[in-house]
Amino acid sequence: MRIPAKLTLGDEIRVIAPSRSAQVLKVEMVEQTKIILERLGFRVSFGAHIFECDLQHSSSIMHRVVDIHEAFRDPQVKAILTVIGGYNCNEVLPYLDYQMIAENPKILCGFSDITALSTAITTKCDFITYSGPHFSSFRMVQAQEYQLSYFQKCLMEKNPFSLVASSIWSDDAWYIDQENRHFEAASWKVYSEGAVSGQLYGGNLCTLNLLQGTAYMPDLSNCILFLEDDELVNPAIFARDLTSLLQATTTIKGLAIGRFQRASAMTEEQLHFILDKHPLLKAIPVLYDVDFGHTQPIFTFPIGGNVHINTKELRIQVTIF
């Protein structure tokens, strides 16, 4: 698995909208976020069609494809950030020029619905992509230090690093109200003990499941899965979706589950009930309430990279990224 060149200060980051349009953020919010990234030392450019907005808050498939292609084709662009998630990123997958993208490997980072694009590119083009902050995520003020630290470790540095739990977490709508945030003490939890190394795949569970039966789905045999879902899921839906994914592979070596949003009504009792249904999950390391997904803050991890999970130390070592 190839590793795109690391991001350095002064590099150009291209912002694209392969799912929801940047129009949902409003122009002034986009400009504020651009200034934040510039202050961090980057140059920021935008896809030509990111503000187009149709009945489903997106642009046309072809215009999204054009922006993706231009971002990978432009030699000045060193990394690509997605504006935000959404629902329809998988629409673009049949129309991408994977040969061109494979010839121009570069950082692609986003989460949620972007799981479809990242996973497809890693599968078809044989280079690592990243699940981490959207462009819009950088406008968050409180808890940004944890998020930014791991973004930099994963995308700018070359040495292996350890992922450890944030001391706090929040499920606030910070993008509406930055001032009145509510934080709780955070910790990762262990469902089953163990230590294991392997190749990492994952991201948003319901989005990853959309790729089953397509040419964009990777072989998950003997991988380590990182899975999360958003506020639209509930325990019954998560149970169904997890079962579907586990049935799509012969075995996995480890599992990390991102922290659930409050609206999902997922309790520890419900989660253990779901995990107890699968004998495999009692025999491999399984962590939950891990800092990725739709609560804040989140770390960045490499799709297609290699990690080592150690539940005793509550630590995930990222070794190939």
Side-chain angles (χ1 to χ4, degrees):
M1 187 68 65
R2 294 178 295 160
I3 303 171
K6 295 297 180 180
L7 192 59
T8 62
L9 295 179
D11 280 347
E12 179 178 339
I13 295 174
R14 177 66 53 83
V15 180
I16 61 172
S19 191
R20 278 191 171 184
S21 163
Q23 190 64 42
V24 302
L25 303 179
K26 300 182 180 179
V27 174
E28 59 270 24
M29 292 182 180
V30 171
E31 184 58 32
Q32 290 167 6
T33 311
K34 176 177 180 287
I35 291 170
I36 290 169
L37 284 169
E38 289 174 340
R39 287 174 178 168
L40 290 172
F42 304 111
R43 294 181 294 119
V44 180
S45 60
F46 298 97
H49 305 96
I50 67 167
F51 284 104
E52 291 182 8
C53 198
D54 60 19
L55 287 174
Q56 295 186 343
H57 309 290
S58 187
S59 61
S60 72
I61 292 173
M62 286 300 107
H63 281 176
R64 282 179 278 156
V65 168
V66 166
D67 283 356
I68 294 168
H69 283 168
E70 286 302 311
F72 277 100
R73 189 178 287 117
D74 188 337
Q76 298 303 311
V77 173
K78 305 304 180 183
I80 303 165
L81 288 180
T82 53
V83 166
I84 199 168
Y87 297 92
N88 60 352
C89 192
N90 65 326
E91 292 176 344
V92 306
L93 302 184
Y95 308 102
L96 295 178
D97 183 345
Y98 292 101
Q99 181 175 341
M100 182 277 293
I101 293 172
E103 293 170 354
N104 296 277
K106 59 186 66 176
I107 290 167
L108 169 67
C109 186
F111 72 101
S112 190
D113 194 47
I114 307 304
T115 299
L117 178 63
S118 299
T119 303
I121 288 176
T122 292
T123 301
K124 299 281 285 183
C125 302
D126 192 40
F127 66 82
I128 289 170
T129 55
Y130 300 89
S131 179
H134 296 303
F135 167 75
S136 54
S137 304
F138 288 91
R139 204 173 65 84
M140 182 179 72
V141 177
Q142 297 182 68
Q144 183 64 245
E145 183 177 352
Y146 179 93
Q147 177 174 271
L148 179 59
S149 171
Y150 283 114
F151 177 84
Q152 293 170 328
K153 287 179 185 296
C154 198
L155 302 186
M156 299 184 70
E157 300 177 9
K158 296 182 179 180
N159 296 322
F161 63 94
S162 292
L163 297 167
V164 295
S166 170
S167 61
I168 56 172
W169 76 281
S170 174
D171 191 23
D172 295 331
W174 63 267
Y175 41 87
I176 296 174
D177 186 353
Q178 289 264 32
E179 301 299 324
N180 299 299
R181 302 286 304 278
H182 174 70
F183 289 94
E184 298 180 35
S187 63
W188 298 354
K189 299 180 178 64
V190 178
Y191 171 75
S192 54
E193 298 277 359
V196 69
S197 298
Q199 189 176 29
L200 186 165
Y201 283 104
N204 184 253
L205 173 58
C206 64
T207 303
L208 186 60
N209 273 347
L210 297 176
L211 304 185
Q212 288 193 44
T214 73
Y216 318 113
M217 187 70 171
D219 180 3
L220 300 180
S221 300
N222 297 312
C223 78
I224 293 174
L225 284 175
F226 278 33
L227 302 174
E228 59 85 20
D229 227 317
D230 61 22
E231 63 181 358
L232 298 180
V233 78
N234 60 43
I237 293 173
F238 182 79
R240 178 181 65 182
D241 288 352
L242 178 63
T243 297
S244 177
L245 189 62
L246 293 177
Q247 289 174 352
T249 184
T250 54
T251 185
I252 60 171
K253 297 172 72 174
L255 174 64
I257 300 172
R259 188 177 289 107
F260 289 89
Q261 292 186 269
R262 294 187 184 91
S264 70
M266 180 68 80
T267 63
E268 195 165 53
E269 180 184 24
Q270 282 279 4
L271 182 58
H272 278 247
F273 176 75
I274 293 166
L275 300 178
D276 284 346
K277 295 181 180 185
H278 303 283
L280 163 67
L281 301 183
K282 296 180 181 296
I284 62 173
V286 177
L287 293 170
Y288 63 97
D289 279 0
V290 181
D291 296 291
F292 66 95
H294 285 75
T295 62
Q296 311 94 40
I298 62 171
F299 56 64
T300 302
F301 63 83
I303 297 173
N306 280 48
V307 297
H308 177 80
I309 289 181
N310 188 318
T311 61
K312 185 177 181 180
E313 297 180 358
L314 286 179
R315 184 181 300 271
I316 299 171
Q317 183 83 358
V318 181
T319 56
I320 298 178
F321 56 100

